[in-house]
Amino acid sequence: MSTSSIPKRILGLFKVYNNLGDLLIASRNWDGRVREDAVRKLGGLGSSDALKALLVRLNDWVPQVRAAAKDAILRLANTSRNAAVFIEHLPEIYHLNKCSRDEHADIIRIICDSLLSEGNRSLVVTGVSNDNCYVARICYALVSDHKLLPFDSLVEVGLSSKDFIIREKAFVLLRDSEPDKHCRFLAIALKDKHTPIRRAAFEVRLEHGEADGVVASYLFDRHSSIREIAVYELLSRGFNVLDDYRNALSNSLINTSKCAIWGVGYLSCKESIPTLIKLLESPIPCIRKQSLSTLSSLGVSWLDDNIHIFLSDPSAAVSREAAHLCRKAGIRFDAEELLSKVANSPYAHTKNIVFGLVKKINKWERLIFLLKIRSSIKPNQEAELLRITGEFFLWNDDFNRSGSQPTLKQLDLLKRYYGEQLQYNDHNLSRIMFTIGTLIAV
């Protein structure tokens, strides 16, 4: 430390801070005495704008600063006009439970008691609709625990919340209530975007009896876990669910047709295989993807021989599904096959998907693929060069995981493609390229 800075630091200890902005800055000062003085003055100002800074200092490493912050916060909490600000900072207040420099249970209880007082309760209820989901969750818990709303209003407000955690809590309250309370609110829960809520609501409806036609409509729900419940329920009632699915395979409604494809697979209907193979030619990507998945679940040998075609599908989602099924079925490709896919596909996503597959093939085939791809990249394609450099490093990291040796054919290809690398001067790969050259020369 220079001697010239020492007087400045000493003078800083005696600087007088009066306005809010200076005090907020001083509350973060390196010196504990300055922080303590600033915190006490912030408490004296009585400004709710200081609450966030005071909450931070409540966990300060200096005991005197913590004590001053506690006094200042309690002073703010005693004024009802600050209640709205305390509600906005409820997540930070409850976070104090995790802070171990001091015991904060008392101050949290005092703040909550203040918010739950007669004059502030309406603000807590309003806080359930706060844009900050963490504020809204705490407010809903307070409203629920302290019965600030009638039961019907509490459930209705909860189920209409934007936050799925609050909606889940509201549904738990509904499920634990008397059956005569269910009907109106179950209709809301059955339309919820969050699948666990819809599934639980559907199960409650089934527990209290549901018409066959209503249950059948859930055979085409957008989520498979709900469809499974509907299938099981209808089968237990003696319905021919499979016919419903087979009749809907070519439905004009995309979601209905997609669910039907899933259904014949779930019920192991091998008679539908020819129809599923035809649906692979559908112009709708989600129909092709679901057909691939269902054919795989049915163990169709035709798929093993033709799955590679869909690696170059116009839809990235279908291509990813095909790659996933290849890995699942243990289908392996050599470098030339994957290089052909990249070269012949007009779609950019094909290359990304092939790069994922190449990590699972023989390490020498993988090296052949990377060398060939690198030699086809133009020097001005910096992003592609950077990507392939990263792929070489990944290959190098995985090298010792397998002790396989290259075949004569692989050696010939490695020598040919390695020779094409001389046009590049990538110092990042110099060591790896030297190692590859040594391996090939052996």
Side-chain angles (χ1 to χ4, degrees):
M1 181 189 301
S2 65
T3 55
S4 62
S5 66
I6 294 176
K8 292 180 180 178
R9 298 185 70 181
I10 294 174
L11 289 172
L13 297 177
F14 299 98
K15 183 176 179 181
V16 178
Y17 301 99
N18 289 316
N19 64 70
L20 179 63
D22 286 343
L23 288 172
L24 291 175
I25 294 171
S27 70
R28 302 192 299 270
N29 192 281
W30 61 272
D31 188 271
R33 288 165 296 182
V34 175
R35 294 200 304 278
E36 181 185 357
D37 181 63
V39 167
R40 293 195 183 281
K41 288 181 177 178
L42 284 171
L45 286 178
S47 173
S48 59
D49 292 337
L51 180 58
K52 184 175 182 180
L54 292 173
L55 288 169
V56 173
R57 298 278 68 85
L58 203 57
N59 195 45
D60 197 278
W61 56 94
V62 177
Q64 291 85 345
V65 178
R66 296 201 298 270
K70 185 174 183 178
D71 291 340
I73 290 172
L74 290 176
R75 190 177 303 177
L76 290 173
N78 285 332
T79 306
S80 60
R81 69 171 181 270
N82 296 326
V85 179
F86 272 93
I87 288 174
E88 291 293 332
H89 289 89
L90 278 173
E92 293 97 319
I93 293 168
Y94 273 79
H95 174 72
L96 293 169
N97 281 320
K98 300 179 181 179
C99 300
S100 56
R101 285 199 176 106
D102 212 338
E103 177 57 52
H104 301 292
D106 285 346
I107 192 167
I108 295 173
R109 178 182 54 76
I110 292 169
I111 292 170
C112 287
D113 287 345
S114 174
L115 294 176
L116 293 168
S117 63
E118 194 67 35
N120 296 329
R121 288 185 174 188
S122 61
L123 294 174
V124 177
V125 174
T126 304
V128 176
S129 302
N130 197 287
D131 289 336
N132 184 331
C133 65
Y134 298 105
V135 173
R137 290 172 190 176
I138 295 171
C139 286
Y140 190 75
L142 290 172
V143 171
S144 176
D145 293 343
H146 297 275
K147 296 180 173 55
L148 301 187
L149 286 175
F151 178 81
D152 286 5
S153 299
L154 180 64
V155 173
E156 187 169 11
V157 167
L159 289 177
S160 60
S161 172
K162 293 182 290 185
D163 183 65
F164 74 94
I165 296 292
I166 294 177
R167 298 201 304 274
E168 283 185 343
K169 289 181 177 179
F171 186 79
V172 170
L173 292 173
L174 175 64
R175 190 164 196 171
D176 293 341
S177 66
E178 296 298 324
D180 60 346
K181 301 276 188 182
H182 291 169
C183 294
R184 182 163 65 94
F185 297 123
L186 279 178
I188 299 173
L190 284 167
K191 297 177 182 177
D192 199 281
K193 295 179 181 178
H194 191 50
T195 299
I197 295 175
R198 288 192 299 112
R199 182 172 59 240
F202 183 44
E203 289 172 339
V204 171
R205 289 284 288 267
L206 291 177
E207 289 171 5
H208 295 92
E210 190 60 89
D212 297 338
V214 175
V215 178
S217 67
Y218 286 93
L219 291 174
F220 300 93
D221 189 89
R222 62 179 179 269
H223 200 276
S224 60
S225 65
I226 295 176
R227 296 197 294 269
E228 288 174 359
I229 296 171
V231 168
Y232 178 81
E233 178 67 21
L234 289 173
L235 288 176
S236 68
R237 297 182 185 186
F239 279 80
N240 190 341
V241 178
L242 182 57
D243 280 353
D244 285 354
Y245 277 134
R246 293 187 68 178
N247 292 335
L249 280 174
S250 300
N251 196 288
S252 58
L253 296 176
I254 295 173
N255 184 66
T256 300
S257 180
K258 181 182 173 183
C259 292
I261 296 168
W262 170 89
V264 296
Y266 184 70
L267 295 170
S268 303
C269 177
K270 294 187 179 293
E271 291 81 4
S272 299
I273 289 175
T275 304
L276 294 174
I277 292 174
K278 289 181 180 179
L279 287 172
L280 290 173
E281 301 173 3
S282 170
I284 303 166
C286 67
I287 297 297
R288 299 199 300 276
K289 179 182 175 182
Q290 186 62 61
S291 298
L292 278 177
S293 178
T294 298
L295 286 168
S296 174
S297 70
L298 291 173
V300 180
S301 59
W302 177 91
L303 191 63
D304 293 342
D305 298 330
N306 294 275
I307 188 68
H308 64 91
I309 298 171
F310 298 93
L311 293 173
S312 303
D313 194 90
S315 166
V318 177
S319 296
R320 282 193 294 270
E321 180 67 14
H324 166 70
L325 294 176
C326 286
R327 288 190 289 266
K328 183 178 177 181
I331 299 173
R332 295 287 184 265
F333 300 95
D334 60 32
E336 293 297 325
E337 288 174 319
L338 294 178
L339 286 167
S340 175
K341 289 294 177 188
V342 173
N344 297 328
S345 175
Y347 309 111
H349 60 259
T350 302
K351 187 173 184 179
N352 296 328
I353 290 164
V354 167
F355 265 104
L357 284 173
V358 82
K359 292 180 175 66
K360 303 296 182 181
I361 66 175
N362 173 274
K363 69 179 181 182
W364 300 109
E365 292 292 332
R366 180 180 176 186
L367 180 57
I368 291 168
F369 176 89
L370 294 177
L371 288 171
K372 179 59 178 174
I373 288 289
R374 186 171 185 263
S375 65
S376 65
I377 299 174
K378 298 178 182 178
N380 63 343
Q381 294 178 304
E382 295 182 4
E384 288 295 316
L385 286 171
L386 186 63
R387 176 183 184 177
I388 203 68
T389 297
E391 292 291 337
F392 270 103
F393 277 107
L394 291 175
W395 174 85
N396 190 56
D397 291 341
D398 294 340
F399 180 79
N400 287 321
R401 293 185 179 182
S402 167
S404 66
Q405 298 300 311
T407 63
L408 292 176
K409 180 182 178 182
Q410 288 172 336
L411 273 175
D412 288 340
L413 290 172
L414 286 169
K415 289 176 182 177
R416 185 197 314 171
Y417 296 149
Y418 177 76
E420 297 174 1
Q421 309 303 307
L422 301 179
Q423 59 177 308
Y424 297 107
N425 183 24
D426 187 347
H427 68 278
N428 292 318
L429 281 179
S430 57
R431 181 177 61 83
I432 294 178
M433 284 300 173
F434 176 79
T435 303
I436 294 172
T438 305
L439 289 168
I440 293 171
V442 173

